[in-house]
Amino acid sequence: YYHVMSRTVNGEALFGDREREVLRKMIWQVADFSGIRVVTYAVMKNHFHVLVEVPAEVSISDEELVRRYRRLYPKPTPWNPMRAEVLEGHLRDHTLEGMDLRKSLLRRMGDVSWMMKTLKQRFTLWFNRSRDRFGPLWCERFKSVLVEGDRWALRTVAAYIDLNAVRAGLVEDPKDYRFCGYAEAIGGGRMARAGLSVVDKDLAGYRQTLYGAGAGEKDEKKSISREEAVRVLEEEKGKLPLSVVLRCRVRYFTDGMVLGSPSFVEEQVQQDAGKRPKRAHVMTGTDWGGLAVGTGLRAKLFR
């Protein structure tokens, strides 16, 4: 699993409701083409987050390849003029062009880098045309954190993503923010519900992670501001309930490199240890349920 995110140039708040809705739809469209499962997402005014499951192996029939191609290219475009029916004919007749097309398309499947590249390019083309604008839209390639396929690790990362609008002060409840996976799932979105079923089959346990389990945590969440929470976490090096900390910006989720159990993180970072041995770093600030990350973040961990 990967938590991937990208921000606009200079962090400019360029996306209104229309832009966020188009990007939301493109996330589902490009992920379906790529054969990548969206667990949840959040589209904000100047950035977006997606938690995805990338398949270990890619085995695709010609019929499925045509379906995915048609999903991404329902109509010919100046940069991709070939109709799905033409691709279907090449694959059916086993032409040399069809074999080359199949190889080319398969290289884009099951690859989070290709998914993000395709998504950002398509949205940039649409955005620039709609604004009579030109030039880059995104400030960087994208950030990514490898996440262990453990239900608690996935639930924690998903909750952090779905609480983006709460942290930004746009809503008090993530179910009221239409551009995130949780709100789409609560609204009956089939794909969004299927995605979040990875972390909780009926969303009841997930809601506890979002809102805090038990009245005590809920009462404390209401009585402490985010500014006060950051002060306790940063200056006093204290601990707060998980539901409170998730309402702060936490760099573990964006810069931690790898997130999961200490044994999982250790295994991943040792693969790229180089001359200097690397180790897992246990997450601080709350009871993270034993989670660790692959980098020892120090400055401005909570914001």
Side-chain angles (χ1 to χ4, degrees):
Y1 293 80
Y2 288 91
H3 172 206
V4 291
M5 65 227 78
S6 197
R7 189 173 296 274
T8 60
V9 172
N10 297 323
E12 293 183 57
L14 299 174
F15 306 153
D17 285 358
R18 182 189 178 207
E19 290 76 18
R20 282 177 283 174
E21 178 64 13
V22 169
L23 183 51
R24 183 193 70 80
K25 289 180 177 179
M26 282 189 180
I27 287 171
W28 289 114
Q29 182 186 40
V30 175
D32 187 18
F33 168 80
S34 303
I36 288 175
R37 181 180 195 172
V38 174
V39 178
T40 196
Y41 67 89
V43 179
M44 306 300 290
K45 294 181 179 180
N46 65 352
H47 69 285
F48 70 93
H49 299 249
V50 193
L51 177 60
V52 297
E53 178 185 4
V54 181
E57 296 182 6
V58 179
S59 179
I60 303 171
S61 67
D62 288 350
E63 182 181 11
E64 174 63 8
L65 191 62
V66 172
R67 185 198 71 79
R68 292 189 189 183
Y69 183 89
R70 186 175 280 114
R71 178 88 162 99
L72 193 63
Y73 304 108
K75 298 186 295 185
T77 64
W79 54 90
N80 200 87
M82 187 176 64
R83 293 181 178 274
E85 292 78 12
V86 176
L87 171 64
E88 188 174 25
H90 279 298
L91 295 175
R92 183 184 60 245
D93 298 336
H94 304 288
T95 66
L96 288 175
E97 186 175 352
M99 293 172 63
D100 289 340
L101 285 167
R102 193 175 209 285
K103 287 180 182 178
S104 176
L105 289 169
L106 286 179
R107 280 197 295 268
R108 300 168 61 184
M109 303 293 170
D111 187 322
V112 72
S113 294
W114 268 108
M115 188 200 87
M116 290 294 282
K117 179 181 179 181
T118 302
L119 172 62
K120 291 170 68 175
Q121 284 181 342
R122 287 174 71 85
F123 183 77
T124 299
L125 285 168
W126 175 86
F127 184 83
N128 283 353
R129 282 203 314 273
S130 69
R131 298 289 188 92
D132 194 21
R133 177 185 183 274
F134 64 91
L137 176 61
W138 308 101
C139 72
E140 57 192 357
R141 180 173 172 263
F142 64 90
K143 285 186 175 183
S144 69
V145 174
L146 176 65
V147 183
E148 185 177 12
D150 167 80
R151 180 161 287 185
W152 175 247
L154 292 171
R155 182 185 293 185
T156 306
V157 176
Y160 183 76
I161 292 171
D162 278 318
L163 287 166
N164 259 263
V166 176
R167 281 194 298 278
L170 301 176
V171 295
E172 292 186 2
D173 190 323
K175 72 178 176 56
D176 298 323
Y177 187 69
R178 58 183 281 193
F179 310 109
C180 75
Y182 179 71
E184 187 172 345
I186 291 296
R190 178 181 56 82
M191 292 185 296
R193 290 191 72 87
L196 280 172
S197 69
V198 170
V199 302
D200 190 74
K201 289 187 177 180
D202 63 3
L203 297 183
Y206 186 54
R207 278 194 288 271
Q208 288 186 345
T209 307
L210 289 170
Y211 303 121
E217 244 190 40
K218 289 180 180 177
D219 291 341
E220 186 165 357
K221 183 185 72 176
K222 293 176 182 177
S223 64
I224 186 169
S225 68
R226 193 176 71 171
E227 292 74 16
E228 176 65 10
V230 171
R231 188 190 67 78
V232 171
L233 293 167
E234 290 281 3
E235 295 180 19
E236 299 182 9
K237 306 300 179 186
K239 293 183 69 173
L240 292 170
L242 177 62
S243 61
V244 175
V245 177
L246 285 175
R247 283 159 174 75
C248 303
R249 286 180 61 190
V250 184
R251 288 181 59 215
Y252 289 135
F253 296 101
T254 56
D255 300 299
M257 189 170 69
V258 185
L259 189 148
S261 64
S263 59
F264 172 78
V265 173
E266 193 91 16
E267 179 184 355
Q268 298 300 318
V269 298
Q270 287 299 333
Q271 292 177 12
D272 187 31
K275 294 181 180 179
R276 186 177 179 183
K278 295 182 180 179
R279 61 182 178 84
H281 300 265
V282 176
M283 294 167 64
T284 63
T286 188
D287 180 5
W288 293 107
L291 294 178
V293 289
T295 54
L297 302 169
R298 295 177 183 177
K300 296 182 178 179
L301 178 55
F302 304 99
R303 299 180 226 173

